[in-house]
Amino acid sequence: MRLLLVEDQKMAAEYIAKGLTENDFVVDVAGNGIDGLHFLLSNDYDLAILDVMLPGIDGWKIIEMARQAGKQTPIMFLTARDDVEDRVHGLELGAEDYLIKPFSFSELLARTRVILRRQTAQSPAAEEHLLQVSDLTLDLRKHKVFRSGERIELTQKEFLLLSLLMRRSGEVLSRTVLAEQVWDMNFDPETNVIDVAIRRLRSKIDDNFEDKLLHTLRGAGYVLELRKS
């Protein structure tokens, strides 16, 4: 599932994003309110986690403008503003939850999962835990991958990498994006970590199949999509 985190404290943002990524979420991070609103309006997220006190525009304004634009993305406020009036205000604006800093990551994770389960229950026909591209299927809940009914064993990093590529199927993802989303690392153009991981993943999901799904666009990045042989 894809989440948006809007947090201006860099260390806090890195800590939260790393923890969520390790729990199989794909996380986009914005460091100010203007970027956060742009991300929220431009993409489809399963949940947005917003600080209230942000540079540019605050979290209150983000949810107001998002709702005015017709975006119904579930929102959780994560903020040091702990007055009862603030909590009430956040919930009245349409937030699903309001978590006060300092917080434990385990509680944040639990609340995130509760919101996502609630959203799934409200639309029972949607199998949001399943990703599919052609005959390749990834089950986020069971942590399993199949192609043409054949089970494919992946490492944790390979699973995260494949889930990101499948969520954004047809979109060219740069090595920098993959590094930030899967490895949570500042990108070193000299490293071959991403290239090695892509080669290993391709060998597992493509080598034994006629139709190839994982493609390299030289100088641009990688894309997962069906291209008939």
Side-chain angles (χ1 to χ4, degrees):
M1 290 188 171
R2 189 178 181 188
L3 311 183
L4 172 64
L5 173 65
V6 187
E7 168 62 64
D8 64 318
Q9 298 297 317
K10 185 177 180 181
M11 290 185 63
E14 290 176 349
Y15 166 72
I16 296 168
K18 183 174 186 294
L20 291 170
T21 300
E22 289 174 349
N23 281 274
D24 300 334
F25 294 105
V26 175
V27 186
D28 291 341
V29 180
N32 61 71
I34 294 172
D35 288 345
L37 178 62
H38 174 71
F39 277 30
L40 187 56
L41 296 180
S42 303
N43 301 284
D44 292 325
Y45 294 102
D46 297 291
L47 174 67
I49 302 172
L50 310 181
D51 195 354
V52 172
M53 296 175 287
L54 293 165
I57 57 176
D58 62 29
W60 304 141
K61 196 66 177 175
I62 291 175
I63 189 172
E64 286 179 356
M65 296 179 72
R67 295 297 184 251
Q68 288 170 6
K71 274 285 183 177
Q72 298 303 316
T73 305
I75 288 175
M76 178 199 302
F77 281 115
L78 179 62
T79 176
R81 297 184 62 154
D82 59 355
D83 290 344
V84 173
E85 292 81 2
D86 287 327
R87 280 177 276 172
V88 170
H89 183 55
L91 296 173
E92 286 180 339
L93 286 172
E96 297 288 328
D97 203 351
Y98 193 105
L99 182 58
I100 296 170
K101 299 176 182 178
F103 63 96
S104 70
F105 179 77
S106 59
E107 182 179 7
L108 171 65
L109 182 61
R111 292 190 182 210
T112 295
R113 287 174 169 162
V114 166
I115 293 172
L116 295 174
R117 282 199 301 269
R118 188 158 61 229
Q119 294 302 312
T120 301
Q122 289 172 357
S123 49
E127 295 186 347
E128 296 181 4
H129 63 289
L130 294 177
L131 302 177
Q132 185 157 3
V133 177
S134 186
D135 57 348
L136 178 67
T137 304
L138 183 147
D139 190 320
L140 291 165
R141 291 179 184 169
K142 297 181 180 179
H143 231 261
K144 293 180 179 180
V145 176
F146 296 88
R147 183 156 189 199
S148 293
E150 178 183 328
R151 175 75 182 272
I152 297 174
E153 298 291 344
L154 300 180
T155 66
Q156 173 74 2
K157 288 298 184 187
E158 289 167 349
F159 187 87
L160 287 173
L161 177 59
L162 181 59
S163 66
L164 174 59
L165 287 162
M166 291 183 73
R167 282 191 175 280
R168 299 170 71 170
S169 175
E171 180 180 347
V172 179
L173 301 180
S174 68
R175 295 166 75 234
T176 303
V177 168
L178 296 179
E180 291 174 348
Q181 293 288 327
V182 178
W183 283 268
D184 190 30
M185 56 190 274
N186 293 322
F187 184 64
D188 178 1
E190 300 301 321
T191 186
N192 67 344
V193 169
I194 293 92
D195 306 296
V196 170
I198 288 287
R199 284 198 298 271
R200 288 176 176 170
L201 181 59
R202 181 182 283 125
S203 71
K204 294 182 178 183
I205 68 169
D206 271 347
D207 281 3
N208 296 326
F209 301 90
E210 181 178 357
D211 294 328
K212 307 308 179 186
L213 297 177
L214 183 52
H215 310 281
T216 302
L217 277 73
R218 190 173 301 277
Y222 304 95
V223 59
L224 190 83
E225 62 183 4
L226 176 62
R227 295 182 182 178
K228 289 289 185 178
S229 302

